[in-house]
Amino acid sequence: MSQTRDELCWMTISEAAPLIKRRELSPVELTQAHLDRADAVDDRVKAFVTRIDDKAMAAARAAESEIASGHYRGPLHGIPVSLKDFYDTAGVRTTAMSKIFADRVPDEDCTVAASLKGAGTVLLGKVSMSEFGLRGHPTSLFSIPNNPWNLNRSCGQSSSGSAASLAAGVSMGSFGSDSGGSLRNPAHSVGIVGLKPTFGRVSRYGVIPCSHSMDTTGPMARSVADIAALLQATAGHDPHDPYSSKEPVPDYSANLNDGIKGLRIGVPRDYFFNKDGGADPETLDLAEQAIDVLEGLGAQVKEVTIPSVADVRASQGVIMISEAFAYHRQFLRDRHDEYGPVKFRFMLGALYTAEDYLQAQLLRSRICREVAEVFEQVDIIATPSMPRPASVQGDMGHPFSSLGGLNFLVVFNATGHPAISVPCGFTGEGMPVGLQLAARPFQEAALLTAANAYQQSTDWHTKHPVL
Amino acid sequence: MAEHPLPSHDELDARLKGAGIQLSNEELEFFRGAYPEFLDQLKLLYSYDVTGEAYPFDVALFQEPQ
């Protein structure tokens, strides 16, 4: 082996996979390198909640043995990954970062974990998150992760550990979940790639719910090509998930390098690029520069409008909290002392009426129609991922401060469209920010082609923090 | 559209109690801090004149493949 430990840990999946296939890179060495790096840096980053070093090394040895005997399973075989502590893993504690589930050890893998296992990945452990998937206040169990680019900054919410594990080089791929931006926000905050697939594209079976009509599971990685590989292994119909789609699964890597000449990109500047609307101007400028890069690659950029987008939070928030309350109701009655401050947000769900919930769904329907109309004119919608870079750690505001305010992500939770955040630069303070691209339902392949074209023309995703 | 009547703070307290959630006086006082934003959110929600049946997604989104 010629690579140093850190060189191994900064490889992408698509760089490591051919080496593993040719037996020029050992899954055992690759896994050990990640565990060693986690030993060295995770006391500061705090990405992991539960490490399973022995099981990981056993899986790596099994992968190595299989490959040596000619049974190579594909591009994820022997690749070390992590999973948000929302995903049930057989025999491995799954806590949702709450005392409510502090000792919960599932008997069965969730569908995503089973699919990743079937693809030959090596699970390193479970990674941190905001308690039960809502805004990152102190949880009732464990601490929340620190941003590898600046340990005094947050990793965003709620798939923070997944993002931190990738930005810190202690895993090569991860899965987060996204009901209100929860994997794109952390991807933006730490400078990695996060894909919220179309609602129904990837199974949620065995993932602790937040909002049943918006919960979406999706991959996180350091490159778009890696996202394609992780999506390929997990997309498809699952009869255990009532919202799972039977839409056929295409080859997500086949057209990654097709380029974007003639692609029609819509930019809703009136809301997403309004410098008087409270967003950080530097963050908006970086996203605007990224759109210029896409135009330079041959895309046709035009301005579009989503009339009700500014108020989508009123709809999405009522729906998400009402549905979350339905899951948490009994715990909130009997064991609310075991929650962190997030319990107060769940309790808001007790205040909404059926009329409020349906009014929110009607507004959601209107926004769905508006976004569908935009997609009659363009192939992709481009926006900044977030209005500003990651906040100072602990500066999360009041638990209720997120009821309103500027939010660039939730519109695609309300509509179910696929959306990706790709790194598009750094602020003057050295914090990464992301560009959000969204596509029509089940057009993840087109989305990945556009994101990959951007990534092939820039080097933001190749930069790593010094830890 | 006629303005939608909004619940009073006392009514919101009653809804929480009706859901079977018992908070200490101190926690209830903290929770009540959310009411102004909660009511603003409802006001915004009902400022939209939306009627009919709620289809959360484009109908074509979940059609079975042909």
Side-chain angles (χ1 to χ4, degrees):
Chain A
M1 185 181 75
S2 57
Q3 295 97 336
T4 65
R5 180 196 75 187
D6 285 356
E7 284 170 345
L8 287 173
C9 292
W10 291 125
M11 289 179 106
T12 61
I13 295 171
S14 50
E15 289 167 344
L19 299 177
I20 291 173
K21 185 180 183 183
R22 295 198 299 267
R23 298 178 61 197
E24 293 168 14
L25 175 59
S26 154
V28 174
E29 285 168 316
L30 190 61
T31 300
Q32 189 63 61
H34 282 80
L35 295 176
D36 290 347
R37 185 169 166 84
D39 286 341
V41 305
D42 204 43
D43 59 331
R44 286 166 284 150
V45 176
K46 303 182 191 306
F48 281 100
V49 179
T50 304
R51 281 175 56 177
I52 50 170
D53 293 15
D54 292 345
K55 288 181 178 178
M57 289 306 293
R61 283 191 292 271
E64 185 155 293
S65 170
E66 269 191 22
I67 295 165
S69 60
H71 299 293
Y72 179 68
R73 298 193 197 188
L76 297 183
H77 205 171
I79 298 293
V81 299
S82 63
L83 281 174
K84 183 176 184 175
D85 211 24
F86 237 10
Y87 285 70
D88 276 1
T89 39
V92 179
R93 186 174 65 155
T94 302
T95 69
M97 292 289 279
S98 180
K99 282 182 186 167
I100 300 284
F101 287 157
D103 302 313
R104 181 174 174 276
V105 180
D107 294 327
E108 186 186 11
D109 279 328
C110 67
T111 299
V112 166
S115 298
L116 291 173
K117 200 179 271 182
T121 61
V122 173
L123 181 64
L124 297 171
K126 307 298 287 294
V127 282
S128 185
M129 55 180 286
S130 311
E131 185 171 5
F132 281 117
L134 282 196
R135 207 170 156 80
H137 290 275
T139 70
S140 63
L141 195 69
F142 311 114
S143 50
I144 54 177
N146 298 314
N147 194 312
W149 289 98
N150 179 338
L151 296 171
N152 295 316
R153 296 289 187 113
S154 150
C155 293
Q157 299 89 35
S158 68
S159 306
S160 45
S162 296
S165 73
L166 291 156
V170 297
S171 78
M172 296 180 77
S174 193
F175 267 75
S177 62
D178 196 320
S179 312
S182 277
L183 74 79
R184 288 164 290 154
N185 171 335
H188 155 93
S189 299
V190 308
I192 56 110
V193 189
L195 171 70
K196 183 197 81 68
T198 310
F199 182 79
R201 176 74 298 180
V202 178
S203 172
R204 299 98 46 88
Y205 177 71
V207 180
I208 295 168
C210 177
S211 166
H212 72 265
S213 78
M214 284 184 280
D215 289 347
T216 311
T217 52
M220 302 168 79
R222 288 192 293 266
S223 80
V224 174
D226 292 1
I227 292 285
L230 291 162
L231 181 63
Q232 198 73 54
T234 51
H237 181 62
D238 177 8
H240 294 107
D241 177 354
Y243 283 104
S244 178
S245 172
K246 290 182 178 170
E247 186 78 14
V249 177
D251 182 341
Y252 292 114
S253 299
N255 303 107
L256 269 185
N257 296 310
D258 280 3
I260 56 169
K261 198 168 172 53
L263 188 78
R264 298 170 303 165
I265 297 180
V267 183
R269 282 202 173 81
D270 49 355
Y271 177 68
F272 291 92
F273 285 92
N274 177 6
K275 287 187 175 172
D276 299 324
D280 167 44
E282 198 179 8
T283 300
L284 302 188
D285 287 344
L286 289 165
E288 194 73 74
Q289 289 163 22
I291 293 167
D292 289 344
V293 170
L294 293 170
E295 192 166 25
L297 292 170
Q300 299 166 15
V301 176
K302 66 178 284 189
E303 197 142 336
V304 295
T305 300
I306 308 169
S308 309
V309 71
D311 297 331
V312 68
R313 197 73 188 267
S315 164
Q316 185 269 349
V318 172
I319 295 165
M320 183 174 77
I321 296 298
S322 297
E323 293 176 356
F325 179 72
Y327 177 78
H328 286 275
R329 183 171 45 205
Q330 200 61 48
F331 292 135
L332 291 170
R333 283 176 186 149
D334 301 338
R335 301 171 61 183
H336 72 74
D337 288 346
E338 295 173 59
Y339 285 83
V342 74
K343 72 179 178 185
F344 294 111
R345 290 202 62 209
F346 288 130
M347 286 176 187
L348 289 173
L351 309 186
Y352 296 118
T353 64
E355 185 184 12
D356 299 338
Y357 180 79
L358 284 170
Q359 176 75 5
Q361 290 286 20
L362 286 168
L363 177 54
R364 181 185 189 180
S365 302
R366 175 180 174 144
I367 292 163
C368 287
R369 285 194 296 276
E370 292 175 359
V371 173
E373 284 169 16
V374 170
F375 276 121
E376 288 173 7
Q377 310 163 46
V378 300
D379 305 303
I380 296 284
I381 293 174
T383 78
S385 295
M386 293 280 289
R388 55 191 70 84
S391 60
V392 172
Q393 188 70 291
D395 183 19
M396 302 293 173
H398 193 278
F400 307 123
S401 63
S402 60
L403 291 179
L406 208 55
N407 188 301
F408 295 165
L409 302 170
V410 296
V411 59
F412 300 117
N413 295 102
T415 66
H417 289 81
I420 193 168
S421 179
V422 289
C424 71
F426 291 83
T427 65
E429 289 186 318
M431 295 309 296
V433 299
L435 173 73
Q436 176 174 238
L437 302 173
R440 296 188 190 96
F442 300 106
Q443 294 300 307
E444 282 84 357
L447 194 56
L448 294 172
T449 300
N452 192 53
Y454 176 74
Q455 214 159 60
Q456 294 302 307
S457 302
T458 56
D459 64 355
W460 306 118
H461 63 293
T462 66
K463 298 184 185 305
H464 309 305
V466 177
L467 284 165
Chain B
M1 185 184 185
E3 199 166 304
H4 186 83
L6 296 174
S8 66
H9 288 203
D10 286 346
E11 188 176 340
L12 295 177
D13 287 348
R15 287 182 191 176
L16 185 70
K17 199 174 173 184
I21 297 170
Q22 301 288 336
L23 293 178
S24 66
N25 288 340
E26 191 181 330
E27 285 191 318
L28 181 61
E29 202 52 44
F30 180 80
F31 185 66
R32 283 174 137 243
Y35 289 179
E37 275 198 68
F38 175 86
L39 293 171
D40 284 347
Q41 185 189 44
L42 287 188
K43 200 170 174 181
L44 178 62
L45 187 65
Y46 284 103
S47 71
Y48 279 86
D49 187 7
V50 283
T51 54
E53 293 181 27
Y55 291 99
F57 299 96
D58 184 291
V59 174
L61 193 66
F62 295 109
Q63 277 181 344
E64 295 295 305
Q66 301 301 309

